Amino acid sequence: KHLKGNFMSTTWITIIIVVVVALAIYGWLDERKQAQENRAVLRHTVEVNLSILKKELISLNAIAAKSPVDSDHAEATRLLAEVDTTVKQVEAKNFDTISHGQLTVLLTAVFEAMNQTSHSRHLLKACLPIEDLRD
């Protein structure tokens, strides 16, 4: 009778351990899946914003080529050169192998470059007045 009780308690302990380990593995797999999904979204965000940035850079370089040369023009072209460098640095990264943290750094760099293009557009006087934006 005593052996039967030990066997039953050992069985229950084993079952509990297996369940706890299974839940831990499930939790780890779920967390890993969520991290991969978050990374995919972040990568997509970097790619979309980089594409927008490249189009804006092309547009502003064309505007700068036709703009009168003055101190604002010089500052705008300096900023556009920095943006071009940022674009090349971001494009050089292999998005398949870099970490989530590195993608975050790239997104920050792209957003900073977008701010530089906005400032360049203002310096080149290539912004439409508010009243021209109405339909």
Side-chain angles (χ1 to χ4, degrees), residues 63-131:
I63 291 168
K66 297 175 186 173
S67 297
V69 176
D70 59 14
S71 61
D72 284 349
H73 182 273
E75 176 64 8
T77 54
R78 184 191 68 75
L79 289 170
L80 293 175
E82 286 181 16
V83 170
D84 187 58
T85 300
T86 299
V87 166
K88 288 175 181 165
Q89 289 172 343
V90 172
E91 286 182 321
K93 301 294 183 186
N94 182 345
F95 290 178
D96 293 329
T97 60
I98 62 176
S99 70
H100 184 276
Q102 290 169 321
L103 280 170
T104 302
V105 169
L106 292 183
L107 183 59
T108 301
V110 169
F111 283 158
E112 287 174 1
M114 290 174 116
N115 283 336
Q116 289 176 306
T117 58
S118 294
H119 188 59
S120 296
R121 183 171 285 281
H122 176 75
L123 289 169
L124 294 169
K125 297 160 188 68
C127 299
L128 291 173
I130 296 294
E131 53 273 4

Side-chain angles (χ1 to χ4, degrees), residues 22-96:
L23 288 172
I25 291 171
Y26 174 78
W28 177 79
L29 289 173
D30 188 53
E31 187 175 305
R32 183 177 157 105
K33 180 182 172 204
Q34 187 63 43
Q36 288 172 334
E37 289 172 5
N38 290 346
R39 190 183 176 290
V41 168
L42 182 57
R43 176 184 174 157
H44 178 72
T45 304
V46 171
E47 290 171 338
V48 166
N49 283 283
L50 181 61
S51 174
I52 293 167
L53 178 62
K54 287 167 62 175
K55 289 175 187 167
E56 181 70 352
L57 184 59
I58 291 167
S59 172
L60 288 173
N61 278 324
I63 291 168
K66 297 175 186 173
S67 297
V69 176
D70 59 14
S71 61
D72 284 349
H73 182 273
E75 176 64 8
T77 54
R78 184 191 68 75
L79 289 170
L80 293 175
E82 286 181 16
V83 170
D84 187 58
T85 300
T86 299
V87 166
K88 288 175 181 165
Q89 289 172 343
V90 172
E91 286 182 321
K93 301 294 183 186
N94 182 345
F95 290 178
D96 293 329

